[in-house]
Amino acid sequence: SHTVTCAYLEIYNEELCDLFADEEQRSLTKVDIMEGKDGTFCRGQTEIDVHSAEDVLSLMRKAQQFRQIGETKMNKHSSRSHCIFTLKINAKKVL
């Protein structure tokens, strides 16, 4: 048995933004980078279960609408941010 989840984080002006959170969640929940017993993680970040490649692509397209963009001399639609997309696969061997 297995589960697959994904998360999408934007870093803009040294602020973290959960691109999968709805507008209300983004204003109420702060995403923080934390150190835990299993390593580094983002507290407050939304993880969504996915079941197909189309699920993942659909979520990514929706999240792109929330990215920060700004005009530069070289590109009128420059992103000016960095994004981290995480795909987590948890598998258990059934005996």
Side-chain angles (χ1 to χ4, degrees):
S1 92
H2 69 279
T3 59
V4 180
T5 60
C6 58
Y8 207 5
L9 181 71
E10 177 183 47
I11 305 166
Y12 179 73
N13 284 341
E14 298 183 24
E15 294 287 324
L16 304 175
C17 177
D18 182 353
L19 293 174
F20 284 162
D22 63 33
E23 201 167 328
E24 184 178 343
Q25 281 179 301
R26 276 196 301 279
S27 65
L28 295 175
T29 306
K30 185 174 189 240
V31 177
D32 290 311
I33 298 174
M34 307 291 292
E35 287 288 330
K37 63 178 180 145
D38 295 325
T40 306
F41 68 98
C42 292
R43 181 179 64 190
Q45 187 174 19
T46 305
E47 290 186 355
I48 298 178
D49 290 336
V50 292
H51 304 284
S52 67
E54 185 54 42
D55 287 351
V56 173
L57 293 173
S58 175
L59 286 168
M60 289 182 83
R61 279 191 290 270
K62 183 179 174 186
Q64 289 295 347
Q65 299 170 23
F66 300 115
R67 289 199 59 198
Q68 299 288 329
I69 59 170
E71 185 175 319
T72 66
K73 290 180 183 177
M74 298 293 288
N75 185 347
K76 289 189 180 224
H77 301 287
S78 175
S79 119
R80 292 189 171 211
S81 68
H82 301 279
C83 288
I84 301 169
F85 179 79
T86 305
L87 189 67
K88 189 185 299 183
I89 302 168
N90 293 307
K92 292 181 183 180
K93 186 174 182 178
V94 180
L95 301 175

